[in-house]
Amino acid sequence: MALIALAADKGAPGVTTAAVALGAVWPRPVLVAECDQAGGDLVYRLPAAAPSGDGDRDGGMLNPSRGLLSLAATARRGLRPEQVAEHCQRLVGGLDVLVGITNAEQAQAMTWLWGPLGRAFAGLAPVDVIADCGRLGADTPLTDLLREADQVVLLTRATLEQVAHLRERVAALTAELRGGPPVGVLVLADPRDFRGSIAEVDRIVAGAVHRGRAPDAVEPAGPPPAQVTVLGGLALDPKGAELLSGSWGGRLDRSLLIRSAREVAADLAGRLRPAPAAAYGAAPGRPSDTGPRARPPSTGQAVAGGQEPGGQVPGAQAPGGQTSAGGQVPAGGRHEKGER
């Protein structure tokens, strides 16, 4: 199905957290894939579900040798979408992940992989793939994967230095991917000025895209680069981010991070190719999966103070009606327990 590539410029602020948060509330079958060339973090941050499905054994460590490394070892003679599922693992709560490399040195021998991997992700019906691409730099080999994406999403914080770096990356990336996937921007915004931060980044990015060059440059002749859309924002929510990694007790479902992620996930999924209705509930490589269907994501906007418009705090329960504490991560992509 669809491939969504998440990335950032200098510092890669919160890309992994954003990928997991969006995967946790994604309204369709989903796989979160670590494609960060600098090395992944999931094996150190999130607990694995028991292979047998025995909940009493949940909470072990993800296997760093099973994931992108093992997939690359089997893909020398070609990579087919159905091969991906054999190298995925499941987090406590049900979210499927493809763990990445553990250090940057391993990436040097894998530059050939990104194009075939992007095509395999794009063909992984009926599952969408959210790819954590980490930090993008000049001449990154991940460009081959980005060209296969249905949507490229760049993350930024609403600070002067972050937006300045993002502005230049947007201009370079839209030129490099001209004719390729659309590029969007997702703002990691302070809840105290959530909408204001998004609007300010939108104003700055829109000006940079139409110039395509430095702020003081003369506007170039010819058509502007491809349109770049500010897609919205994720709340800067340290406690929610800690809970997502199992380090803080409380109700993850009510955190600003997850509530804002639901809105972004609903918007992004609406921009992508629709998944066949009969395919919902399928995990990677298992189209006959008959597991429970998730609730549709909330449409409420996360705003300052942790309230929805109108001052109401949503009363939705965490997956399965349980408090998401002690390392629990909500399942994504129609694995999230709730309405059947």
Side-chain angles (χ1 to χ4, degrees), residues 25-257:
V25 297
W26 198 252
R28 298 172 4 180
V30 72
L31 169 69
V32 172
E34 278 192 303
C35 302
D36 189 344
Q37 294 185 94
D41 298 324
L42 290 181
V43 294
Y44 308 113
R45 293 173 55 176
L46 297 173
S52 63
D54 182 359
D56 293 336
R57 296 176 54 202
D58 283 344
M61 184 177 178
L62 292 167
N63 181 357
S65 298
R66 182 185 175 194
L68 201 58
L69 276 177
S70 59
L71 180 61
T74 65
R76 288 288 183 178
R77 296 183 179 180
L79 179 59
R80 302 182 308 277
E82 58 268 25
Q83 290 176 257
V84 175
E86 301 171 8
H87 304 271
C88 295
Q89 301 181 66
R90 180 161 288 184
L91 301 177
V92 170
L95 180 60
D96 293 310
V97 297
L98 180 71
V99 301
I101 58 178
T102 56
N103 59 69
E105 287 71 23
Q106 293 170 336
Q108 296 176 2
M110 298 175 63
T111 55
W112 61 272
L113 179 65
W114 304 116
L117 185 63
R119 290 187 288 274
F121 284 159
L124 195 63
V127 179
D128 294 331
V129 177
I130 299 175
D132 169 12
C133 297
R135 177 183 180 273
L136 297 181
D139 300 321
T140 173
L142 285 179
T143 301
D144 292 335
L145 184 147
L146 299 181
R147 289 195 178 100
E148 304 298 332
D150 294 88
Q151 176 78 57
V152 176
V153 180
L154 298 179
L155 276 71
T156 185
R157 297 193 183 191
T159 64
L160 179 60
E161 61 273 19
Q162 290 270 344
V163 176
H165 287 295
L166 174 80
R167 185 174 57 188
E168 301 305 321
R169 180 57 52 204
V170 163
L173 191 60
T174 52
E176 193 167 9
L177 298 178
R178 189 182 295 272
V183 178
V185 172
L186 193 58
V187 182
L188 303 177
D190 189 329
R192 293 170 295 183
D193 188 23
F194 193 80
R195 293 190 179 91
S197 297
I198 296 170
E200 180 64 11
V201 172
D202 192 8
R203 183 187 66 80
I204 297 172
V205 169
V209 169
H210 286 290
R211 282 189 297 268
R213 296 169 59 182
D216 56 350
V218 176
E219 184 171 340
Q227 182 180 3
V228 175
T229 304
V230 174
L231 301 169
L234 290 179
L236 277 172
D237 178 11
K239 288 186 176 180
E242 289 172 10
L243 177 56
L244 194 63
S245 63
S247 302
W248 180 74
R251 297 194 64 172
L252 175 61
D253 201 58
R254 290 189 175 184
S255 70
L256 288 175
L257 172 62

